[in-house]
Amino acid sequence: MMIGKSVIRKEAWEKVAGRAKYTHDDVEGGMLHAKLVTSPYAHAHICEIHTEKAGSVPGVRAIVTGEGLPLTGEDLRDRPPIAFDKVRYHGEVVAVVVADTLVQAEKAANLIHVAYEPLPAVGSPREALQEGAPLIHENLANYQKGKYSYPEPGTNIAHRTKIRKGNMEKGWAESDVIVEASFSFSPSDHAAMETRCATAEIRQDGTIVITASSQAPFMIKRLIGEYFGEDVGKVIVHTPLVGGAYGGKAPVQLELLAYLASKAVGGRKVSVWNTREQDMITSPVHIGMEATVKIGCTADGYIKAAEILFLFDGGAYSDKAIDVTRAAAVDCTGPYHIENVWCDSLCVYTNHPYASPFRSFGHCEQAFAIERTIDLLAEKLNIDKLELRMKNAIRPGHTTPTQVVLNRSNVGNLPACIARLRELIQWDEWQRIEINSRTVRAKGVSCGWKTSTIDTDASSGAILTFNPDGSVNLISGVVEIGTGTKTVLAQILSEKLKMDIDDIHVKMDIDTQTTPEHWKTVSSRGTFMAGRAVLSAADDAICQLKAIAACVLRASAEDLEVGYGKVLLRDDPSIYVPIKDIVYGYKYPNGNAIGGQLIGRGHYVLRHLTPLDKETGAGKPGPEWTMCAHAVEIEFDKRDYTYQIIKAVSVKVLNRKAALGQVMGAMSMGLSFASRETFFFDRYERILNAQLRTYRPIRFGEHPEYMVEFIETPQIDAPYGARGIGEHGLIGMPAALANALSVAAEVPLNELPLFPELIWRTKKGKQHGSI
C-alpha cells in the first residue's frame, strides 16, 4: 500500500545535489538578454520616449516599446504588455532593451529618457470608488471581455460578483444581535525563492519556443496564439522545475515580453529575468482588500443573516484579480450555515501593481474579515468562540452561498475539526492569562473552507509508457512547483498497478508539444484532477496488459489480475506472465508476435460545474469544499506592544498524511502575511520597500511550534478519497493571529499586518499619516 505513506520525493535527489535545472539555468552561447525599463510614477501620461542614446550602446540589438501592441488579459483585455499611452502603476514596463549581455542592456536602459505628465494616483479601493476619483481606465467600455466578466464603465470597477441567497429582511428580523466591522490590508509580495523569468526564440520555420517559470504553461501557449495571431500549434512552452509560485506565477507577463523581444531581433533566443526588486513591483502582487461585514444572529447564537462587501485592490489591471474576487465571493460566509446572504465582491482598479492569486485564492483574505467578525459576535453574545463556530458549522444537507447542496462527499467535517482543535490547544483550560504585570498569553481560533472557482471544462491528461524492464514512465502536465504533487501521482499509480514506486519514473519538466495538458497548477487541484487522469491511464494500460496476457496464458481477460510486475491468473497466481515480457508485445517461440508497444492514456474533466448567475451568484463553482480549523497562541508584551507567536495549530479534513510539510509551510506563510508582510506606499503610491532587507517574511529561527492533525473525510470521486491541501494550512492563520492579539491587547485589531505599532495606534486611538 503506497497511499498515505511518506516517500522520498521524485525530484529530491536532483534538488539536494544541486543538479536540478530551473528556467534561468537555461544559458547558451549567443543568447541575448533583456532589461526592463520601468515607470517611476504610479499614474502618468507618457509624453515621449527617447531611445537614441540607448540604441547607440555597443551590443544593443533592439529596443521594444508598447505602441501598436494588443491589449492582454485573461478575463478582460485591459493591459498592454508594454505601457504606451500612460502608466498605471509604479514599476510598470515602458520599454524593453535587448542586448548581447545583461550589462550592456542595463547600460542602455539607463540611457532611455521617458517624459511623463504625472496624474493623480488612486491608492485604495474605497478611494477609487469615491465620486470624482480619477478614472484609471477611461476606455473600460471598449475593452474585449469574457462572457462572465462584468466591468462597470465610467467607474473604477473591473468586475462585480453578486451573491444573493435567501431573504435579507427575514434574516435581519430574526436576528436579536447584530455586529458590523470593517477590515483592511494592503498588497504584498509572494516572495518565491525563484523570481519570475522566461526565455523565447522564434525558429526559422515559425515555431515559437518559450521556457518559463510558470504555473500555467498551457495558458501561455494559448494566449500567445490569441494575443498575437500566432498558430497555437507552433507555440511550444517548456516549464522545468519551478522554485515556488504561490499563485504569483499563474498570470502570463514576462513570457509575452520574451516573445516580443525575440521577435524584435529576428527570432534569436532572448532571456528576460526579474531582479528581486522588479519581481516585487513590476510583476503581479498579492491582492489587497478593504471589507465590511455585518452579521446577525439569535440570542442563543444561531446566525441568521450576513451582509458582506469585499473591495479587492486589483491594482492597475484586472488580469487574474477578477478570478480572485469571484473565488472570495462564492465562499463569502466562511464554513457556516447562513440562509440569508447578501455579498458584493468587487475587483477595483487602483494605481498599485496589478494583483494575482495568492496561496488560497482569495480565501485567507475573506476569512480574515469573516473570522474576526465571528469573534466579535461571540464577544457580544458572551458565548464561547469555538462553541459559536460549532453551532453554525456547515454540514451535509446545507447549501453554500451559491446554493449548492452539500453531502458527505463534497463537504468536509468541520465539527470534527473544531472538536479536535479544542483538545489540541487545551482551549477549555485557558484563553487569556496574565504571566506577570507586563506579559500576557492568549489564544485565537478561526475556521476556513475552500472550493475552486475553476473553468467548467478544466481538464487534465496523463500518459504512461513502459520500459523493457517493466518500469513505467509517468507523464503529466502538472507543474512541480515545490508541492510534491508529481510524487503523489506516482504513489497513486503505484497503488493502482501494485508496483514499487521506485519503478515509476516521473517526467518533471513540461513540454506543451508532447506533454498531455493540465489546465493550470493552481487551486489545490493537481492531486484531484491529475490523479483522476492517472487512474484513467492506468485502467487503459491494465486493459491492454490483460488483453495481451489473455492470449499468452490462454485465459479470459476477466480472470486476470495485474500487480507485482506480473499479469496473473486470479484463482491460481502461479500462472502468470511478467509485465516486462509483454509491454512491447509478445513473441511466441516460433517467432510470431502479437501486440506492440503499450501506451496508457487517460484524462479527466471536471463535471457538473456551472458559471455563476450574474444577479444571484447561484451556480456550482467547484467540485468540493474542504474544511480546516486553526489556532494560534501568542505571548504579548503590554508595555512595548511586541509579541511572539508561541504555537500554531491546524486541523484539516484530509486523508493523506504525507502532506505535513505542505501544511506547515502554508501555516508559516499565513502567519508571515498576517504579522509583517506588506508594501509601504508613499503619497504618490510608489512602493518604498521593494527589497528583502525592508520587506521581511518570517526568517529561520522565528517560527513557532507547528502542530498539524488530519481528520479523514474521503471525497468519493477523488483518487483514493484524497483532498487537496496545499492552501488550507494558510486560510485561517491571519484571522487566528488577529483574534489572539485582539484578546491579548483587549482591543479589536481589524487591519493587517499586525505590527506592534498598529497595535499601539489602535490601543491609543491614534491615526497614522501618509509618508
Side-chain angles (χ1 to χ4, degrees), residues 317-337:
Y317 302 105
S318 61
D319 204 70
K320 299 298 296 175
I322 286 178
D323 286 342
V324 174
T325 60
R326 187 185 294 119
V330 302
D331 292 335
C332 62
T333 59
Y336 305 110
H337 174 52

Side-chain angles (χ1 to χ4, degrees), residues 3 6 15 59 100 167 173 201 250 335 344 391 435 474 520 700-701 704 726 747:
I3 299 302
S6 295
K15 286 182 174 179
D100 292 340
N167 184 320
E201 64 176 316
D344 269 12
K391 278 188 173 187
I435 302 299
L474 168 57
K520 296 176 185 176
F700 180 79
V747 63

